[in-house]
Amino acid sequence: MNAKVRAALMTAFSKPLEIVEFPVPELESGSLIARIESAGICGSDLHIWHGRDPRIKCPVVIGHEGLGRIEAIGGEKKDLFGQPLKPGDRIIWERGLFCGKCYYCVMEKEPSLCVERRTYGMNAPTTHTSLVGNYAEAIYLFPQTNVIKLRESDKPEVYVSTSCSGATTAHSFELARPRVGDTVVVQGAGPIGLYAIAFAREAGAGTVVAVDMVEDRLRLAREFGADHLIDRKTTSIEEMVRTVKELTAGLGADFAVECSGAPESMEEGLKMIRRNGTYLVPGYASITRPINIDGLNDITNKQILIRGSWVSDTSHLFKAIQIVRKNKYPFDKMITHKFPLDDVNKALQALDRREAIKAALTP
Amino acid sequence: MNAKVRAALMTAFSKPLEIVEFPVPELESGSLIARIESAGICGSDLHIWHGRDPRIKCPVVIGHEGLGRIEAIGGEKKDLFGQPLKPGDRIIWERGLFCGKCYYCVMEKEPSLCVERRTYGMNAPTTHTSLVGNYAEAIYLFPQTNVIKLRESDKPEVYVSTSCSGATTAHSFELARPRVGDTVVVQGAGPIGLYAIAFAREAGAGTVVAVDMVEDRLRLAREFGADHLIDRKTTSIEEMVRTVKELTAGLGADFAVECSGAPESMEEGLKMIRRNGTYLVPGYASITRPINIDGLNDITNKQILIRGSWVSDTSHLFKAIQIVRKNKYPFDKMITHKFPLDDVNKALQALDRREAIKAALTP
Amino acid sequence: MNAKVRAALMTAFSKPLEIVEFPVPELESGSLIARIESAGICGSDLHIWHGRDPRIKCPVVIGHEGLGRIEAIGGEKKDLFGQPLKPGDRIIWERGLFCGKCYYCVMEKEPSLCVERRTYGMNAPTTHTSLVGNYAEAIYLFPQTNVIKLRESDKPEVYVSTSCSGATTAHSFELARPRVGDTVVVQGAGPIGLYAIAFAREAGAGTVVAVDMVEDRLRLAREFGADHLIDRKTTSIEEMVRTVKELTAGLGADFAVECSGAPESMEEGLKMIRRNGTYLVPGYASITRPINIDGLNDITNKQILIRGSWVSDTSHLFKAIQIVRKNKYPFDKMITHKFPLDDVNKALQALDRREAIKAALTP
Amino acid sequence: MNAKVRAALMTAFSKPLEIVEFPVPELESGSLIARIESAGICGSDLHIWHGRDPRIKCPVVIGHEGLGRIEAIGGEKKDLFGQPLKPGDRIIWERGLFCGKCYYCVMEKEPSLCVERRTYGMNAPTTHTSLVGNYAEAIYLFPQTNVIKLRESDKPEVYVSTSCSGATTAHSFELARPRVGDTVVVQGAGPIGLYAIAFAREAGAGTVVAVDMVEDRLRLAREFGADHLIDRKTTSIEEMVRTVKELTAGLGADFAVECSGAPESMEEGLKMIRRNGTYLVPGYASITRPINIDGLNDITNKQILIRGSWVSDTSHLFKAIQIVRKNKYPFDKMITHKFPLDDVNKALQALDRREAIKAALTP
């Protein structure tokens, strides 16, 4: 590697990122430097860019989804299965940094709720180096970061989405999952929704119904395994409920997943579910208005199970990798736009205009 | 038994019930007649009396909570544990009639959601006899009704509340229950709330916090095992949240149960729970306004589990009996007012004025 | 239907069954007569035929797996989803008769453990008619029997195995199921083992390993989705363990299912599983010797979950139908031998010689 | 603290331990030195002393259960709830050292199965200091060790058993726990058995049956809340089964826990459980012969759930502390023998002669 690493630095919100050179950091024992092969641009990166995420301070190298090859290791480091890692290995890394000591890490075993959780590309410590984001040629990974070795045949742009969208969805399906034969409604067919379709299929869902307002997304949802598509733009909630009931002998869906982030989505989702059904909610990353719920008909009488789910940890990253590795779902089509690092601002703008389902940088 | 049985007949909503004599019905195989020793007056009986429950049609003998002695049996009938029943046995009966054939009975094994569920004292079939409610000297029980044999030492007024309040709470705690050491908030200290305190204690709760607006109820909550009392009338939501956080090292409650029926209760309860906590909702029997939920902070980021729970079946009735039988909780104090059958209208009025925590008829 | 129905009557153990004519029984309300289109011959029918099942008394019409068309209904009867049934409908029926009143039916909601469970073709009551077995042109179904309506396109010989093998496997996978990506070992590739492969795949298993001693069965296991085949005849337990560890980064299988009935199977299976793994045991229907378990290494230190599972109820029958209906697995190849009713003795002999994976009668 | 710390060093198996002085080690960041107030002598210490545990090499300071006050901290360290620790605080520490990186730590979230798990007083690294066992005046705790702050009122000899016996039992009851009203059989009334009685009571058990061969243990089991005592020395398995069935309307126990370590215990326990019941097995730490199981009657037909459980992690330690803190169980009577550090050999001999239920050193 050159003595210098180029990275896209965000110096002010909503302003173009600047390509800056940083020195290669020293490696302490167990840390490593990875050369990035693919960096995903997550929907939340737009919130970050526009200053809507209070955790983020400028200047910062953003990008929390990344995948690449080991450039150098400080001493020895093993992957999840105890295999020693070596320079040149293709790897993917956990985007979160967990304390391992707090109530949520130790007692609940939910590192995603760690009270000191930090994220690469968001608020990882920069005392050592600024190279702790993925919009860059390389990233520094702290010793506590879990690393999973990929295969040479695992294509970077196919696996990079496991880092955030895939792992987040895996976490939610760990907390509640459909049964064999269930009718599952997936609301929102962006990256999380597409993973949700795949996880529902893997859980043995009988029928998957995908709801979205964008035709391209619905088309891709079909390719991921959705049996029925509902165009939310042209379908009333009454029609949606009727459609779902027709598919379920009048009962309603067994399971629904909120993947759109829209407040009305949960209101509608609860109406589509049958009694004793499950409503899974990994989708709310920000919210524009309160959601209105009918305590009798949506909750008590419906005997519903509602399960929120927040981000993910390394166990979920591995589960997302496992689902991609099955080669049953067109994850290669999820990333619709690719850009070189130098075009990072074009990439953000394309996403801002909602042209892409998902975009990635290939530094 | 006399050839005639006296019963309180509701002939019009919000009008005094009339004491009427009915002939003793014929017994088909497996059915029985029980002489009522105690009939509970449930909060929902007030809704029924005032015509707010669309399932109910006049004339009807109301009262869905009852307990008594077998007067006569049609052929042979066994209790849950295969013991033959005989006249004179003290028994309690399942208040619901289930079809045993529908999706919810067969596939979900949740008879409380049976699509043809009927309830004694509400909408049980009257083709055979009108004596299918508990505000009466005796009740006719259909062959499919499950019956549990009580002991001679089981006092009627102590056990009668297992029929509805106890069983409903048992059902909800089957669907989600606290862990040993958990801090549990019980919102509302009426019959369901008091049972919830007992079930939380039985599940090993470390600290139980009871919230109510009525001093007598809070006092009884204390006797049932609540460690902390919050008077909702004089405490703001901010203060409640602060109190709960002080009890939980700043985290929030592990578990909360909505037993009040008030819309603000769920809004407040979700704020009192920690991340990855559980919110159990057996409480909404009718609702006056939508509940406002923050999709990000109350659901996704909180990674919450919300569980609705609807009425109960015989398995829950038995669990409620088991908890009363421990003799650890002052269930003898739950029924604060007793009336003879002839004073049924005084009983309804007392409950209407909210003078009683729970009232019962002792025909 | 003719006034008479032909059926194969077992009059003595291990002797040829005799084709006898029985009168069509009277129909009480909710009962029905079905004309049998396919009757499965289960492995346990051989035990029955040879007098090894103490529940069975001669004379009896055996055969507990069946499927056909409604010939006549006593009054009205609905299917599981509330649809009225009518003559000519293709249906499948629950093979068990449950009391609906005992501890296991009511409290545990496990009708398969009902203390008064009876089975068509084994020990169903014959007070009404002898036509309560499936080796016949028609069967009488009691009012309490749950019936599921099939589609015209559902082929009898493809669906008949859901009745016993499919439902039994569904039950076990309800009690414990693999996670997405899990490595699952299926020991025994007869009908239950083949269903287990399908259920493992539907649960999202990453890798399925099938073990059997018969080449034809292993070949069919491959078609059902097994990734790796182990021929038990030529492979030592040490080699099996090594193979499984090689597939699992040295850990061992996440999940294994005993479907062979052989005592050594459980001994071997426990060695193939990793720590914290699951061992599911639907397979033991009779047993020839005790199983030897190492309390430290197989149980405590392994932190294993072992789950027995006994027969099934209607909810499992429906789940088995759902998995067949996916048309993803070659259930049409499971029944390798078909015979007319008149050749019932040839069928039993073929199975006795282990020529068939599964055989069926097509009366 | 003096410049030197006295500790009991095991230099050869089955030989007297020697009191040796060690220098106080340097503290790296996050590590600490604790002055020991109470060190429990675990049954497994006898196995270690006699050279029956292959993990242990001499010389070593043994003792894996300990509790005391902070003497010095390297930099800053917080307890589980984020409170900063300071010298003088009474604390208890996790006895296991986990890698936090392996499959079991990361994917299964079961640090007790960590592939690199080490234990203080057994095989903790001694590169830094030999003071990594609890039979000493003080212990060195590595930075990754989780520490829980106790209260001044928490008596050392009451809480020290949470470290191993309590945490191990807590782990097992996390993996499977009784329901309200269940009849629970506890086989073996040593430290794990007594904790099991307490955990069963906290889970709401209706009836607890304790089985042991030692009168003193049965007497203490009664004080912990056992309702029925069975003296294994004078009671046949047939009588035990009969007794349990009489207590359970003929069904058998809902739940049983193996806490004795004897092979016959599991054989007997499986007979005492009802169908669909649970058998929990934290008890086998070494084993003298294979256990014989009837695959049909003990497993498949019984539809049993068997759950092994191995040691514990910090979450379980905290749960054990929570149960002691309830002050409902006589944990002060569990430690029947106390010795000063200098009498460590007398302590081991007393335990070897089975005079004590549990012994502790009070350095």
Side-chain angles (χ1 to χ4, degrees), chain B residues 284-323:
Chain B
Y284 290 123
S286 70
I287 197 81
T288 52
R289 67 157 173 86
I291 296 163
N292 292 307
I293 289 185
D294 177 333
L296 173 58
N297 293 301
D298 291 342
I299 308 282
T300 296
N301 181 286
K302 185 154 272 184
Q303 195 166 298
I304 205 164
L305 175 71
I306 298 174
R307 193 53 156 110
S309 171
W310 184 245
V311 304
S312 62
D313 64 39
T314 313
S315 68
H316 312 119
L317 171 59
F318 183 67
K319 287 176 188 171
I321 290 170
Q322 285 180 304
I323 211 168

Side-chain angles (χ1 to χ4, degrees), chain A residues 188-190 194 210-222 229-234 353-357:
Chain A
L194 295 171
V211 183
D212 204 292
M213 306 178 81
V214 179
E215 209 179 324
D216 281 359
R217 294 182 176 222
L218 286 171
R219 200 174 302 126
L220 192 51
R222 170 82 74 192
L229 306 178
I230 295 181
D231 185 340
R232 180 67 191 77
K233 220 163 33 193
T234 59
R353 288 190 303 264
R354 299 183 67 93
E355 289 172 11
I357 293 180

Side-chain angles (χ1 to χ4, degrees), chain A residues 151 202 322 325-326, chain C residues 178-186 196-197 200-201 203-210 222 225-229 243-244 246-249 252-256:
Chain A
R151 299 171 187 163
E202 287 302 305
Q322 286 181 303
R325 195 158 275 164
K326 289 181 165 234
Chain C
R179 304 164 310 177
V180 171
D182 272 3
T183 296
V184 176
V185 174
V186 175
I197 294 170
R201 286 260 82 110
T207 302
V208 175
V209 181
R222 169 84 74 192
D227 305 289
H228 291 264
L229 306 178
T243 299
V244 170
E246 281 167 11
L247 292 169
T248 55
D254 301 285
F255 196 100

Side-chain angles (χ1 to χ4, degrees), chain B residues 239-288:
Chain B
E239 287 169 314
M240 285 197 280
V241 170
R242 197 181 321 127
T243 298
V244 170
K245 292 211 164 170
E246 280 167 12
L247 293 169
T248 54
L251 293 170
D254 301 285
F255 196 99
V257 201
E258 160 29 46
C259 308
S260 80
E264 55 271 27
S265 181
M266 184 163 174
E267 293 163 0
E268 294 168 0
L270 295 178
K271 302 300 180 204
M272 286 189 266
I273 298 179
R274 67 163 169 77
R275 299 176 85 186
N276 213 33
T278 297
Y279 193 64
L280 187 56
V281 196
Y284 290 123
S286 70
I287 197 81
T288 52

Side-chain angles (χ1 to χ4, degrees), chain A residues 303, chain B residues 80 94-95 98 108-113 117 146 148 161-175 195 199 309-324, chain C residues 106-109, chain D residues 180:
Chain A
Q303 194 166 299
Chain B
L80 252 193
E94 168 58 41
R95 73 190 188 287
F98 313 117
E108 298 281 310
K109 295 175 180 174
E110 283 282 351
S112 65
L113 306 178
R117 183 173 181 269
N146 290 309
I148 296 172
S161 65
T162 61
S163 169
C164 175
S165 315
T168 295
T169 313
H171 188 193
S172 66
F173 275 77
E174 176 186 86
L175 295 171
Y195 268 103
F199 272 100
S309 171
W310 184 245
V311 304
S312 62
D313 64 39
T314 313
S315 68
H316 312 119
L317 171 59
F318 183 67
K319 287 176 188 171
I321 290 170
Q322 285 180 304
I323 211 168
V324 175
Chain C
V106 174
M107 293 296 300
E108 299 283 310
K109 296 175 179 172
Chain D
V180 171

Side-chain angles (χ1 to χ4, degrees), chain B residues 101 107 109 143-144 313 318, chain C residues 101 107 109 143-144 313:
Chain B
K101 299 280 186 197
M107 292 297 300
K109 295 175 180 174
Q144 72 261 44
D313 64 39
F318 183 67
Chain C
K101 300 280 187 196
M107 293 296 300
K109 296 175 179 172
Q144 71 261 45
D313 64 40

